[in-house]
Amino acid sequence: AQSVTQLDSHVSVSEGTPVLLRCNYSSSYSPSLFWYVQHPNKGLQLLLKYTSAATLVKGINGFEAEFKKSETSFHLTKPSAHMSDAAEYFCVVSGNKLVFGAGTILRVKS
Amino acid sequence: NAGVTQTPKFRVLKTGQSMTLLCAQDMNHEYMYWYRQDPGMGLRLIHYSVGEGTTAKGEVPDGYNVSRLKKQNFLLGLESAAPSQTSVYFCASSLAGVFTDTQYFGPGTRLTVL
């Protein structure tokens, strides 16, 4: 069985400061892990994907995530937030099915 | 290359009415999916298809039917709509590896059932 927990439902940062969105997972399989972003009234777009190659995964728009098996975590980070990063972010784990986290809404203050 | 498109974008139904949501993809993807998104619950899989002519149940299939007569199209039907089916519906497709490959999402259909 798989599950995913996004530890924060809302995160607020100032423009130019770092972003950290936290995700813990559990899986009976060697999982694939994804981060998707959803801008208001839009579909989901893939940010990055982990599939057991490098544990540090680089994605689009300066985002990256580190797979930590010992901590069962896959946190999403970005060194410097931009106003356009304001959106909802979903952590997703896959094995025999795809399981979405509940989402984290990122607010970026000017 | 339009990717994944969905029609309609918005719809309001009365309880008991029926409707069909259409999903189309032009990427020659083998796998297609229907999800519903409700506040605070992420996305939940309704039905999926691993190829033309095949369908399978997902996490929340009750009250919905699907068909995949052509590889590029995946239809989601509501035979008798209920207020609990008020939601945003997303279609997605992937090239390979059901549930393990990157999924490409459509823009969504916002459905309200009164």
Side-chain angles (χ1 to χ4, degrees):
Chain A
Q2 300 125 250
S3 68
V4 60
T5 302
Q6 292 184 242
L7 299 170
D8 306 290
S9 59
H10 293 79
V11 169
S12 182
V13 301
S14 296
E15 191 174 21
T17 65
V19 175
L20 170 64
L21 305 183
R22 298 182 295 164
C23 173
N24 287 348
Y25 71 92
S26 68
S27 177
S28 305
Y29 303 84
S30 295
S32 293
L33 292 158
F34 307 80
W35 277 99
Y36 283 86
V37 61
Q38 184 181 28
H39 290 278
N41 300 311
K42 301 287 187 183
L44 279 71
Q45 180 187 14
L46 180 71
L47 273 180
L48 51 80
K49 173 182 175 182
Y50 166 79
T51 55
S52 78
T55 57
L56 183 62
V57 183
K58 294 190 183 298
I60 62 172
N61 300 333
F63 284 94
E64 62 181 36
E66 186 172 8
F67 174 73
K68 292 187 176 181
K69 187 175 181 179
S70 60
E71 299 176 11
T72 60
S73 69
F74 190 56
H75 301 335
L76 182 70
T77 60
K78 183 174 181 178
S80 176
H82 190 273
M83 295 297 290
S84 61
D85 294 328
E88 188 164 15
Y89 293 78
F90 293 94
C91 182
V92 183
V93 62
S94 80
N96 66 337
K97 62 177 181 177
L98 209 60
V99 178
F100 285 76
T104 298
I105 294 174
L106 176 64
R107 178 186 171 210
V108 182
K109 298 175 289 185
S110 58
Chain B
N1 190 336
V4 180
T5 58
Q6 294 181 231
T7 52
K9 289 185 168 54
F10 302 93
R11 186 72 186 269
V12 178
L13 291 179
K14 294 181 180 178
T15 297
Q17 288 185 317
S18 64
M19 77 163 295
T20 300
L21 282 67
L22 171 64
C23 175
Q25 52 94 4
D26 62 1
M27 298 175 284
N28 201 33
H29 284 176
E30 203 65 41
Y31 307 98
M32 297 187 75
Y33 314 83
W34 275 107
Y35 294 91
R36 61 177 288 172
Q37 183 180 31
D38 301 292
M41 300 184 73
L43 273 70
R44 292 180 293 168
L45 183 66
I46 304 171
H47 286 280
Y48 64 100
S49 169
V50 300
E52 182 179 319
T54 73
T55 64
K57 293 181 179 180
E59 182 184 356
V60 288
D62 294 343
Y64 305 94
N65 56 77
V66 288
S67 64
R68 185 127 180 246
L69 299 179
K70 294 183 179 181
K71 185 176 184 178
Q72 63 267 33
N73 295 337
F74 195 29
L75 279 63
L76 177 71
L78 285 72
E79 291 184 345
S80 179
S84 60
Q85 294 178 303
T86 293
S87 188
V88 182
Y89 291 85
F90 288 98
C91 176
S93 70
S94 64
L95 179 62
V98 63
F99 303 135
T100 59
D101 196 20
T102 300
Q103 294 190 11
Y104 296 83
F105 286 82
T109 295
R110 189 173 296 273
L111 175 66
T112 301
V113 183
L114 302 176

